[in-house]
Amino acid sequence: MRALTRIGLTLYSATVIYWMFIGFGREIHTGGPLQYNLIPLRTVSLYFDMNNGVSLISRFVNLLGNVVVFIPIGILIPLAKTRPISWKRISLYAVPCILLLESLQMLLHVGSFDIDDLFLNMLGIWTGYCMFRIGYRSNREGGM
């Protein structure tokens, strides 16, 4: 079962990478400056400003999408491990990977590096991890 979970994690991770670099109509924008945001909650606060001209759909997709897409990873990583994993350890795995992907989006001109995306992605991973822990706990209690 663990081997299937690892395969599932690999396939899902590949899907996320596809979405981040190719999917959703992404195009390479060469010639312009690198796009980045290093100020925490700057982008998130823009999505809560209803007078900035951003459509409701764009707000929804950006905020919720960056969270929801990473929930399965928060579930699959602990399932793929042979020993229990803490939320701190899962963060130590995930944060460098997300930082690398965000940096590559910026450097390849297919998106931007946004520190808020890191926060939202980690919120998704932690949500998935909490769902795993709740399921694991209730499964253990139900089996007794």
Side-chain angles (χ1 to χ4, degrees), residues 30-123:
T30 58
L34 296 177
Q35 301 291 316
Y36 60 91
N37 169 42
L38 301 176
I39 301 169
L41 302 177
R42 175 191 238 173
T43 305
V44 170
S45 65
L46 286 175
Y47 289 127
F48 286 103
D49 175 7
M50 296 305 188
N51 297 320
N52 66 6
V54 177
S55 72
L56 191 58
I57 294 293
S58 292
R59 295 168 199 268
F60 182 75
V61 166
N62 247 310
L63 291 173
L64 199 57
N66 272 306
V67 175
V68 171
V69 162
F70 281 82
I71 289 174
I73 293 174
I75 296 169
L76 291 170
I77 287 176
L79 286 172
K81 302 297 285 175
T82 54
R83 296 188 320 184
I85 185 170
S86 70
W87 69 270
K88 290 178 186 176
R89 176 72 60 180
I90 203 169
S91 298
L92 287 174
Y93 289 137
V95 167
C97 292
I98 295 169
L99 287 173
L100 175 64
L101 292 172
E102 286 289 317
S103 297
L104 286 171
Q105 274 189 315
M106 176 186 69
L107 293 172
L108 296 173
H109 292 274
V110 293
S112 64
F113 179 100
D114 194 335
I115 197 69
D116 289 353
D117 286 351
L118 170 68
F119 297 146
L120 294 169
N121 297 162
M122 286 308 300
L123 181 60

Side-chain angles (χ1 to χ4, degrees), residues 1-13 72 75-82:
M1 187 62 168
R2 200 167 313 281
L4 284 176
T5 303
R6 289 179 178 159
I7 291 169
L9 178 61
T10 301
L11 292 173
Y12 190 76
S13 296
I75 296 169
L76 291 170
I77 287 176
L79 286 172
K81 302 297 285 175
T82 54

